[in-house]
Amino acid sequence: MNRHSLQSFFWPQSIAVLGASPDLHRIRGRLLHQLRENGYPGRILPINPSYQDIAGLRCYDSIGAVGEPVDLALVAIPAAGVAPALEECARAGVKNALIISSGFAEEGGAARDMQAALVEVTQRTGIRACGPNCEGYFNALGRIATTFSPTVEVKEDESQNLVSHHRVGVIAQSGGIGFALFNRGKAAGIGFSYVLSTGNEADLNMADFLDYMVEDTNTHVVMLFCEAVRNGPAFIAALAKARQLRKPVIAIKIGRSDAGSRASASHTASLSGSYTAYHAVFERYGVIEAEDPDEAVAIAGVLLTCPLPKGRRAGIITPSGGGGAWMADTLSLHGLVVPPLSAQTQESLRAVMPSYGAPGNPVDVTAQGSNTGPALMTAMETLAQSDEIDMLVLIASLTSETRVSLEATRVRATAERCGKPMTVWTYTLPSEFGRRSAAGCGLFVHSDLRNVGLSMSRLAGYAETVARPLPPSNTTTVAPLPGDLPVVLTEHRAKALLAPFGLPESHERLAGSAAEATQAADTLGYPVALKIASPDIAHKTEAGGVILGLQDQQSVVAAYDRIIASAKRYRSDARIEGVLVQKMAPPGRELVIGMVNDPTFGPIMMVGLGGTMVELMGDVVHRPAPVDVAEAAHMLQSLKSAPLLSGFRGSAPIDLTPAAELIANLSQAVLAYRDRIAEMELNPVILHDDGSGLTIADALITFKE
Amino acid sequence: MNRHSLQSFFWPQSIAVLGASPDLHRIRGRLLHQLRENGYPGRILPINPSYQDIAGLRCYDSIGAVGEPVDLALVAIPAAGVAPALEECARAGVKNALIISSGFAEEGGAARDMQAALVEVTQRTGIRACGPNCEGYFNALGRIATTFSPTVEVKEDESQNLVSHHRVGVIAQSGGIGFALFNRGKAAGIGFSYVLSTGNEADLNMADFLDYMVEDTNTHVVMLFCEAVRNGPAFIAALAKARQLRKPVIAIKIGRSDAGSRASASHTASLSGSYTAYHAVFERYGVIEAEDPDEAVAIAGVLLTCPLPKGRRAGIITPSGGGGAWMADTLSLHGLVVPPLSAQTQESLRAVMPSYGAPGNPVDVTAQGSNTGPALMTAMETLAQSDEIDMLVLIASLTSETRVSLEATRVRATAERCGKPMTVWTYTLPSEFGRRSAAGCGLFVHSDLRNVGLSMSRLAGYAETVARPLPPSNTTTVAPLPGDLPVVLTEHRAKALLAPFGLPESHERLAGSAAEATQAADTLGYPVALKIASPDIAHKTEAGGVILGLQDQQSVVAAYDRIIASAKRYRSDARIEGVLVQKMAPPGRELVIGMVNDPTFGPIMMVGLGGTMVELMGDVVHRPAPVDVAEAAHMLQSLKSAPLLSGFRGSAPIDLTPAAELIANLSQAVLAYRDRIAEMELNPVILHDDGSGLTIADALITFKE
């Protein structure tokens, strides 16, 4: 693999500290201090004309005076001086700058211009910049601390509790939270490669750093704290690479609620796409979402220590009956299965536990069995080999300072032999000794109960996602849109626009008179429906513009006149294109298929079952376009209401292929026109019970104004 | 208040230790040791003929040799000797026994008989017993440790971090988990009154202990770890008392999943009612459910430190923009509201924070504002007074060992002055110093983010529940059921049975011939429906036994014959009672109203909206009978699909009163016949759109066999 362009940013041979100071109360002073304290092995170059040397390091008058190329400049000087300093760095051959200074776009007003000036320097000179308004990074393997965060202060004994030599890389759009994730993860025994705060992302952004960590062999899991992605396509490209390489990405996305999004927008000084679009992208690429810091840490913990499971069946071994039952509830609640064990497996378990133990699942070896003998360990060895389970949860009380029921060598050997995910829950708070002992087993120790269920379920979900092929991202080339389209395309014009993308044939005609309407009905066959066609009438039913189930010429004529009259009454200035005559569709299940063109991620396809399931229960599934037929079918199967399509209450299952093909084709259409199209809704799409395909019973396209 | 009968159990003046031993490796030895170590101030009486004294305490040959009344005997001798020892204790005037010995009902087989022998002794002699197979209790205020749990070992400095002088009492059906809750709560700064492990509950059970703690003035919040309630009515009575006294009860109910319930049944050697019934009871009495140990601790923490809020509007003050937005998301996700603040409030907040802060909600005082000045504190004081919020969440980083941004006196004064719930979230892991400083504020410190949202939401929910009147539990007296009823009552017989309880008039007749059917239809008015009436045909539609929308005599005759023929074809030996002729009901919303007679809690009423909302989405609400009209209306309003009843998509709202009255009346009926009735289902009940009341379109009652 070629050297990544950010190699010199994360692994600099030399670091200049602009405005370096011996004063530890100033950020510039702390930066220099922490860089040295953490044992940075490269060359440190303090730049400050006021000093000859700082704490024994030679100090330079200017970056130009260094006289050799510098990999990284740390910039924590007042905002007004940053752009000129960056210019000087570029001239001196500095490759990268890390700008900690605040007071740019996040302040608004004139400060925005200062940020624009920074961008201009980077684009003109080619110097790359992280920040401004960031907290720097910590490269744990390289012992490079370019941050003033107190969480990277060096303490003794930290590495002893590492549960794995695999490491997490953190990219955070909030320095405080990014280093808090590091602080929490470290305490739980997780090793980190890099922890990076991206700040305002004037130049380098989350997508750039994600791409680096996805390719980086020191990073096994990436964790994102994400307020707003600034480069949607590059972000998606990096996620696609991660999925290809099977390198898990955990994302915490904030700004999901109104209040959170209001706060996030004011905080990051940037507009973000909808959470729906983020979620759709995350689902496609197997990104695991987390809602809580400890949840993120727990998910990382199992990803670092576990192979991917082959299924969702969990075995539980416990010294506490109550704890075992509680775990069984928790795993079940999170979509895992705790199967009863076969008589044969129970028999072999019974042989290794006290008479009053329970060899079902949970396997209760009792406190006595665990305290006075190795029942927990022997039961583990027996159950791990069983093909009746796909993963194993060990329960223990790790609060003692002197004794644990886990034997490191036996646990490690078992985990290696069985190749199944294994993890530990301690129902008491773990002591330092308890954590260390469990770390020796190579397993992540959960203190939260809920996070055991949640993280093991996410692990299984990740395994399921990466087992599905990633849809190809080929797109159809089409003729450009005519320039004179109205903002709203009503049903027949919307269908005409979409037709070249392989829509099912429409049994309909636009009629300009009652006579044309009867002619159309005769051709199509009765019964028919009549609908007003007007770009000014979006809510046709409300306007009295829809009449269904017309059986003969006479009623078609009457309906035509009634519809035109109603439309004029509803809105006298409405432009009327005519009345659409449609053959009534055979009965079936109603779908809603939609699209919203997200400012960050482009067209996002949506599908749901019509009526209350969508509007009341919000039961919809989204994916970014393009979607292929397999992914579209998976979207339909992922609906909570999917059983209604597959033979609920004795009805025959419906063939989903026509609907999946339609979604895939529509996704090509909206992608082709993504520059112009804003929204699309097909509602309802009737998927016929008799297997005769589907009918698009209404359609609406809105263009950007 | 009279002295509670369990006073001498929890506050014994003297404790005898049967089979006391100096050997600390034996449970009997550890019991004596921990009792003394914790500083039990009463008299300790070791009983063991093998010793003159143990560690300086005089040892007695037998309990009879003590020669004075003893309040509590600790029993940890082998199972076979327990019943005789209990007999001896009763004879010697011992009031209570705490039986730690295992090997009783939980082992099954002959060991069950030994438990029965224990029960016999308690019933005959009046001695009260806790256990067997329990871990004893810890009375923290009385310094009475009758347990071998290592979690009660005395350590220094523990009391310094207490967030409140209010205390939690724990009653646990698993000793391991009960003391783990204590272990976790203590670390989070929570004070405890008692922690009790109930064991097999041969005599005293959870309901007895709950009643004690509800009345006990040292206990402000009760926490239950519950596998199976053994005395439903007494448990409900204690919960009703708790609700009356507004003493919050937190319940962890395990055995909710199939696997958990399987494990729980084998572990506790007892059958439990369904989780649905537990949940219904908990909802009625305002019991707050918890799913995770830290969740239970967090809920207890806010209950101990916060007044009840007047609403769900939360203010957030944060030094971290990312942390504030994340909190806003979390609170919103848990059903709280994070409102934008008025211009006036924002103006007064802007005055107390740096220029680059954000005075919206979340109020972001920035890290600088919090580090270099008291912005967090002044913003807190300003916002707490605002009537735009009902509760306040402070965000801090409490990881430092030397500095926190919370000033105890200011926080305490603010909390007292505003009378609103306040709580703290630290995004880094709290240091010991951080916890201590925050405890000085009298606020609970959350380390979990999710649990902030969850616990504050539960607090608001509890306030809402106790604001509603508790339905009276009066019941209707009725004539006894005839003895010769079949196991299944079909529609017309079920309605006849329920009729005296105030059901709406049924427009229907049972017809024994086609002629009777047309007569009935003429009387009722067309259109009518015909339905087979047979106790052997539960699925009438499947059997071709239902024909709807009959408009005239001729079609009624044809339908009658067709139905009889279909029924005979469906099941040739079916007993046919006739054909039910019903006037077709006007259109409306379909409800399902049901009841299951739970073995623990008796009849549990259920309501849901018919069709897929019940069957696919499981959208139903349960309450124990009796339900009054107000509670029944609240049940309907609590459905996720309730918007369908109250004017969804422009439809007119429906008057719920007839449905609420029906539920209330039915609850009286099932309660009156609770000894015989097993299940009831009215499906569908059509609540007419036109406000003309409702029609019970089908009904089925099943009796116990």
Side-chain angles (χ1 to χ4, degrees), chain B residues 370-418:
Chain B
S370 172
N371 288 339
T372 61
L376 194 78
M377 291 293 94
T378 44
M380 167 194 73
E381 287 164 344
T382 306
L383 188 54
Q385 292 311 313
S386 161
D387 58 8
E388 296 167 34
I389 59 151
D390 304 305
M391 61 182 76
L392 193 53
V393 176
L394 303 175
I395 301 182
S397 172
L398 298 179
T399 202
S400 162
E401 292 289 354
T402 54
R403 224 164 42 89
V404 293
S405 45
L406 305 173
E407 295 172 38
T409 48
R410 292 177 75 173
V411 175
R412 273 188 183 279
T414 302
E416 270 168 36
R417 200 164 347 110
C418 74

Side-chain angles (χ1 to χ4, degrees), chain B residues 473-479 500-502 626 664-673:
Chain B
S473 59
N474 61 313
T475 56
T476 314
T477 45
V478 286
F501 292 87
N665 291 338
L666 290 170
S667 80
Q668 290 292 344
V670 295
L671 208 58
Y673 299 135

Side-chain angles (χ1 to χ4, degrees), chain B residues 603-629:
Chain B
I604 306 290
M605 299 299 299
M606 178 273 267
V607 68
L609 255 78
T612 53
M613 295 307 286
V614 169
E615 299 188 37
L616 192 63
M617 307 305 279
D619 181 25
V620 291
V621 171
H622 294 85
R623 287 292 181 281
V627 171
D628 68 5
V629 176

Side-chain angles (χ1 to χ4, degrees), chain A residues 140-207:
Chain A
L141 287 165
R143 287 178 290 145
I144 312 174
T146 67
T147 173
F148 55 90
S149 169
T151 60
V152 306
E153 281 163 16
V154 190
K155 288 174 187 160
E156 302 297 319
D157 287 343
E158 255 164 23
S159 61
Q160 297 197 9
N161 289 349
L162 281 191
V163 295
S164 169
H165 62 279
H166 285 185
R167 288 167 179 272
V168 176
V170 175
I171 307 168
Q173 291 183 327
S174 156
I177 299 299
F179 285 101
L181 291 167
F182 171 61
N183 164 264
R184 285 169 184 267
K186 226 169 43 173
I190 287 183
F192 289 82
S193 52
Y194 320 92
V195 182
L196 169 78
S197 151
T198 65
N200 291 4
E201 303 186 358
D203 175 29
L204 290 167
N205 62 42
M206 181 167 265

